[in-house]
Every structure is written in C-alpha cells, then in structure tokens.
Amino acid sequence: MESYQVWAEETLAKVRAKMSWVSEKNKDKIPYTTGEDGRYDDRSSGSADWNADDGLNWWTNGFWGGLMWLLYQDTGEERYAEIAKASRRKLERCFTIFNGLHHDVGFMYLPTAGMEYALTGSEEARTIAMHAATLLAGRFNPVGRFIRAWNDNGDNDVRGWAIIDCMMNLSLLYWASENSGDPRFRQIADLHAETALKHFIRPDGSACHIVEFDPETGEMVRSIGGQGYGEGSSWTRGQAWAVCGFANSYSHTKRQEYLDAARRVANYCVANLPESGIVPIDFRQPPDVKWEDSCGACVMASGFLELAKYVPEADGAVYIRAAVKILRAIAETRTDWSESCDAIVQNCSTAYHDPKHHTTMVYADYFFTEALYKLTGKIELIW
Ligand code: GLY
C-alpha cells in the first residue's frame, strides 16, 4: 500500500466517525449548508413556484444521497442505504414541479437514483434516472449544439447560455445510452462536449465559466466570468468541473480529444496550484484577495484522480501527487471533525462576487469523501 493510501484510510476513519452521527441527526433532511449554529439546513421542501430552485429542486440535492451511498458501500450499514433511498423518493417529486428543474439533473439523480440502480437493481430507481436523462436531453439546442443552462427568471434571458459545470451532467446521458441501448443520449452528450471543447477551453488550458450563444443561430456571442472573478479569469471550481467532466466523458467514450482536454486543463491547474495546496476561488483573482474555495479544491482532487487512471503511470503520478497535496491541505487545515458543525469541509465559496465566503457545502463533503475513496480504490462510483 502506498503511504498516501494509508493516510486516506486514516482520514476515511474520521469521515466514518463523523458521518455516523451527522447522518443520524439529519436523516430526514436533504442538506446543503450549515447555519451560524453549525446545523445543516434542509432543502427537501419548497414551494411549487416556477423558479423555486432553492427548495426541493436545488441543484445539489443529489449529493446527500450520494454521500450516503458511498458510506453504505464502505460500511455495509443498511441505515445509509435507507437515508439515500428516502432522499431519492423525495426528489421524484421534482418532476411534477418541473419548472424549477435545470441542467443539473445529472448531479441530482445520478448519485441517487443511478447509484441505487447500480447497487440494488431497483427498477423504480432506474426509471427515475431515465426520466432525468430525458429531461436533460430535452434541454439540448440542436443549432448551437449545447445543453442550455439554467432557466429564465423574469429579469434574465439565459436561453443561449451554457456553462462548464454541465460537463459533469453528461455522465447521466452516457449512463442512459448504456442502460437503454438508445444512442441519442450519448449523441447529445458528445455534441455538447465538442462544443465545450471548442468554446470553453482556452489555448493555455484554462476554462471559462459561461458562454452565451445565440439560441436561434447557434453563433457564439460572448464568454462571461460567471462565478469567477471576471471575463478571462479562471474560476477554480469551473476548472475542476472541466477536468472531471472531460475525464468522465473519456471514460464513457474513449475519445482521445476528451482525454487531451482533461489533461490540458489539469496541467494548467497543477501549474497554478499554490505551494500550500489551498485553492483560491479564482486562479486569476487579485493577489491581495485571500478568498478560497475548498469545494472546488475537492472536486479538482477528484478530477485529478479520475484522470490519473487513463494516462501513463509517470503522468498519473503527477496528478495523484497534486490531488494528495490538495486533500491533505483540506484534511489538515480546512476540516471540522468536532460536533459543533454538521459539515466536514470548511471555507467553501459559491462565487467570487458572492458577498458571503468561507461557508460549507454538502458537495464539498461529497467530493472530499469520493476523492479519498478513489485513493483507496475501494468502492464503485457512478460518474
Ligand atoms: N454552479 C455550480 C457550482 O457552483 O459549482
């Protein structure tokens, strides 16, 4: 066993110990973040308003169930499976609300329904994941060859917007083709990935967050800084979504251009990773700004480890080293293992221009745990 695997096992023991009581305490919720009191909120309710995507339709709502499935696989404890199944059953109701649903149905239903089907063979779970894939495919703009992000909210017309994050949702489409034999899902995923490769990945390997297309002609209009510092900057979580997303697309298709894209972005990230291993919100934020994003850091580490599986060993070792550096920095300086906070990973940031920084996010805990399991090679993952 490598020394980083021993370290990952030790850290997973701490994750198991904390999640044992956190899961019990929050078993009836679908949490996103913790409040001032350190307690998890609950996104499992919410109105049926067309734009109510902060309630049950909230895009991160698949990560709680996903985290439970990771722990179930590791521990064999049935209670984790029960919490995961309960959260999947709640998420089914989103299809009837519909208006608040978005491109992030891959994040919502693959770690929940998709994983449940993979582990239990539940036909009910498979049907839910197929519904989600069909919804995602329905967001495809055939002229611009992109999957449309978000929904109009009255002030903002985003009919031509696509975002780098959506690369992660493509796994649901690949999954749907693999599980149904219908190639249309994979075809849409490939067309979107080709567009992302052409318009989001810059020659230096960095990736922009948002690209606006004309939804009628498909022409590119502009790129937008989005959750990063500004236009031309490199929002670190967006870089991480690109690494993971292209690596996952490669794993489903074995198309070399996806692997090359994942490597270009990963090499850019490795070159810009601070010596401390602490990841800023944006690699191009002003040097005097000290805001960080532990969530993007965990996604990036998980992406590096995915990529390491598909490249020659010496190159993979570079990505593994970078991932371990990030994960150790998180585990040693940006985690709360105590009972005063329900979340493990601290210092997450939603967006550079968000007034609030250094909060917790359930998907940081998900990707932190996923990355540790990737280091130990212990369990099945769904992307
Ligand atoms: N927009 C997805 C994220 O915040 O990572």
Side-chain angles (χ1 to χ4, degrees), residues 172-183:
L172 177 65
L173 297 176
Y174 291 122
W175 174 92
S177 277
E178 289 153 13
N179 278 277
S180 68
D182 185 336

Side-chain angles (χ1 to χ4, degrees), residues 59 103-104 107 150 163 165 209 227 235 237 241 350 363:
W59 75 276
H103 62 282
D104 279 330
F107 282 126
W150 300 313
I163 60 175
D165 328 22
H209 182 200
Q227 287 166 255
W235 174 46
R237 201 156 68 247
W241 294 137
T350 45
Y363 60 119

Side-chain angles (χ1 to χ4, degrees), residues 73-352:
Q73 287 190 73
D74 181 8
T75 64
E77 288 178 37
E78 200 55 39
R79 66 199 179 94
Y80 290 121
E82 289 311 315
I83 299 171
K85 285 181 198 168
S87 93
R88 187 268 293 168
R89 282 194 290 270
K90 284 182 188 164
L91 292 182
E92 284 178 32
R93 199 167 75 79
C94 295
F95 295 134
T96 62
I97 305 172
F98 182 74
N99 277 335
L101 274 184
H102 38 65
H103 62 282
D104 279 330
V105 288
F107 282 126
M108 289 173 72
Y109 295 97
L110 202 49
T112 51
M115 189 56 116
E116 184 174 338
Y117 175 62
L119 295 175
T120 70
S122 159
E123 275 305 317
E124 202 177 290
R126 179 183 179 278
T127 304
I128 294 301
M130 285 304 295
H131 265 303
T134 306
L135 230 141
L136 185 57
R139 299 184 70 89
F140 185 67
N141 179 314
V143 179
R145 296 168 167 230
F146 65 88
I147 293 170
R148 178 217 162 134
W150 300 313
N151 300 319
D152 297 351
N153 65 13
D155 306 326
N156 209 1
D157 166 5
V158 294
R159 282 171 297 165
W161 286 25
I163 60 175
I164 193 65
D165 328 22
C166 195
M167 281 302 302
M168 282 299 280
N169 288 298
L170 301 188
S171 292
L172 177 65
L173 297 176
Y174 291 122
W175 174 92
S177 277
E178 289 153 13
N179 278 277
S180 68
D182 185 336
R184 293 172 305 150
F185 300 101
R186 170 176 39 79
Q187 287 160 355
I188 288 175
D190 279 334
L191 289 169
H192 179 90
E194 286 163 18
T195 301
L197 186 46
K198 182 168 168 201
H199 292 288
F200 285 75
I201 310 303
R202 305 183 186 115
D204 67 357
S206 66
C208 64
H209 182 200
I210 302 174
V211 173
E212 181 178 352
F213 299 92
D214 182 321
E216 297 290 352
T217 66
E219 291 298 310
M220 177 177 165
V221 177
R222 60 179 173 141
S223 71
I224 303 169
Q227 287 166 255
Y229 173 60
E231 195 182 339
S233 75
S234 65
W235 174 46
T236 48
R237 201 156 68 247
Q239 316 307 295
W241 294 137
V243 175
C244 275
F246 279 108
N248 291 337
S249 290
Y250 173 76
S251 85
H252 287 282
T253 63
K254 300 292 175 269
R255 285 178 60 165
Q256 186 64 34
E257 64 267 41
Y258 298 159
L259 186 61
D260 294 344
R263 292 195 66 169
R264 266 166 57 206
V265 185
N267 292 346
Y268 166 83
C269 293
V270 171
N272 284 279
L273 192 62
E275 199 37 52
S276 63
I278 298 296
V279 174
I281 301 178
D282 194 310
F283 280 133
R284 293 178 183 157
Q285 69 195 26
D288 55 324
V289 172
K290 301 294 173 225
W291 291 325
E292 26 184 280
D293 179 25
S294 305
C295 182
C298 293
V299 177
M300 196 175 284
S302 187
F304 287 167
L305 295 174
E306 191 61 33
L307 186 52
K309 293 187 208 161
Y310 310 119
V311 298
E313 205 177 322
D315 298 349
V318 173
Y319 299 132
I320 292 172
R321 257 198 311 278
V324 171
K325 183 177 188 165
I326 292 172
L327 292 169
R328 286 193 87 117
I330 296 283
E332 284 156 21
T333 67
R334 299 293 186 267
T335 41
D336 184 329
W337 301 107
S338 78
E339 294 200 5
S340 59
C341 183
D342 288 353
I344 297 173
V345 178
Q346 309 290 309
N347 285 24
C348 305
S349 293
T350 45
Y352 183 89

